[in-house]
């Protein structure tokens, strides 16, 4: 008998996906993304960005590759070492891991700020409400009062209490323009991005080439372990090499591709 799982009841649509399906996890996430697009949390083009991520995840073998695991450990160390860390959340990040990102922020003493590419006040409100509903914590982003220099779009709007004065920003699923602007503004940038060739991954100081729903729990585990160990954090950051992390991700994709061709 085929085991099935009801994915969605929130919008009155019941979808059954077999737990034995080889793409089970990715299909469940797709359903959630589709549902949250209908609720206005995910942008329509956010679904396309998600598809690009899925393609890269397929190529790395839908697993946390060793260089991503090292980047996740370094990310935890850097978050804990930062004085004013901020985690930014867009529609896709909210849909994928709102609760986990807020849990990480609490553990690392970071603020959470919603910042959208497709920005309208209504959508910002919707994403903030969604994150607050699932996490039970308050987030920044509704009332931006500062401008991050070097960005032409509305994404430049940010909060002086959050991104504007942050010394470190964790950016899951970022666009390259804003990642570059954050680096130029002198902030340490941690990116979670499955595409090791994206401008975001290339400009970030710590590039985690892993899927957001795997990466964030891994960072949380490292942060819990490193919370009271400053010496270990400093040693990790001293030896971390982001060029090696990106090269490792490209090598992992090539190796996986040639294994598949055998
Ligand atoms: P840029 O070169 O400007 O950084 P981009 O490819 O990042 O461009 P977008 O399509 O805006 O442009 O961003 C989506 C990025 O997010 C892609 O690189 C994609 O691989 C990544 N991505 C999408 N979904 C996930 C996910 N669930 N986990 C990790 N990364 C993801
Ligand atoms: Mg990007």
């Amino acid at each position: 008998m085929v085991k099935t799982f009801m994915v969605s009841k929130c919008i009155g649509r019941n979808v059954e996906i077999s737990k034995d399906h080889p793409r089970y996890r990715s299909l469940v996430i797709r359903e959630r993304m589709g549902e949250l697009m209908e609720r206005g949390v995910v942008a329509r083009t956010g679904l396309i960005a998600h598809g690009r991520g899925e393609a890269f995840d397929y190529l790395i073998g839908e697993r946390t590759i060793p260089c991503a695991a090292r980047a996740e450990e370094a990310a935890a160390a850097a978050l804990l070492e930062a004085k004013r860390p901020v985690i930014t959340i867009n529609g896709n990040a909210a849909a994928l891991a709102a609760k986990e990102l807020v849990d990480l922020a609490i553990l690392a003493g970071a603020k959470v700020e919603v910042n959208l590419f497709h920005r309208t006040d209504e959508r910002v409100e919707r994403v903030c409400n969604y994150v607050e509903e699932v996490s039970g914590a308050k987030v920044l982003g509704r009332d931006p009062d500062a401008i991050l220099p070097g960005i032409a779009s509305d994404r430049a709007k940010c909060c002086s209490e959050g991104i504007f004065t942050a010394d470190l920003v964790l950016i899951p699923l970022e666009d390259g323009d804003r990642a570059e602007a954050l680096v130029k503004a002198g902030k340490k940038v941690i990116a979670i991005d499955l595409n090791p060739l994206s401008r975001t991954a290339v400009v970030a100081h710590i590039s985690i080439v892993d899927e957001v729903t795997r990466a964030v729990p891994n960072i949380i585990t490292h942060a819990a372990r490193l919370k009271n160990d400053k010496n270990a954090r400093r040693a990790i950051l001293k030896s971390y090499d982001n060029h090696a992390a990106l090269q490792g991700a490209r090598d992992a994709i090539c190796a996986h591709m040639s294994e598949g061709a055998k």
Side-chain angles (χ1 to χ4, degrees), residues 49-50 52-54 56 92 96 173-177 192-195 197-201 210-212:
H50 182 73
R52 184 183 291 177
E54 273 195 347
F56 277 100
N92 281 35
L96 290 164
L173 318 179
E174 189 59 60
D175 70 283
D177 286 350
I192 305 174
D193 189 332
L194 278 158
N195 176 2
L197 302 172
S198 83
R199 287 179 303 155
T200 303
D210 200 3
E211 208 277 326
V212 164

Side-chain angles (χ1 to χ4, degrees), residues 110-230:
K111 293 197 170 127
V112 175
E113 180 167 337
V114 167
N115 184 278
L116 305 179
F117 188 77
H118 298 285
R119 188 197 164 90
T120 61
D121 287 345
E122 195 194 342
R123 200 164 156 252
V124 170
E125 186 63 34
R126 233 179 267 149
V127 177
C128 288
N129 287 346
Y130 177 75
V131 177
E132 289 174 351
E133 180 192 311
V134 298
S135 70
K138 276 291 205 199
V139 298
L140 298 169
R142 289 184 178 88
D143 303 304
D145 58 353
I147 295 285
L148 186 69
I151 309 176
S153 72
D154 263 359
R155 267 211 114 171
K157 292 183 180 172
C158 61
C159 295
S160 51
E161 226 194 302
I163 292 168
F164 193 69
T165 53
D167 60 344
L168 175 146
V169 190
L170 168 65
I171 50 172
L173 318 179
E174 189 59 60
D175 70 283
D177 286 350
R178 204 173 72 113
E180 268 172 20
L182 289 166
V183 170
K184 279 202 185 122
K187 299 171 195 312
K188 183 153 186 166
V189 172
I190 303 170
I192 305 174
D193 189 332
L194 278 158
N195 176 2
L197 302 172
S198 83
R199 287 179 303 155
T200 303
V202 170
V203 298
H205 299 104
I206 298 177
S207 308
I208 300 169
V209 181
D210 200 3
E211 208 277 326
V212 164
T213 65
R214 291 194 303 268
V216 181
N218 289 344
I219 305 171
I220 289 176
T221 304
H222 289 300
R225 178 174 53 83
L226 295 169
K227 190 149 176 72
N228 297 314
D229 197 343
K230 203 169 195 29

Side-chain angles (χ1 to χ4, degrees), residues 18-27 62:
S18 165
K19 279 196 168 161
D20 303 330
H21 193 291
R23 304 252 80 75
Y24 172 76
R25 200 166 174 275
S26 123
L27 293 176
E62 295 173 311

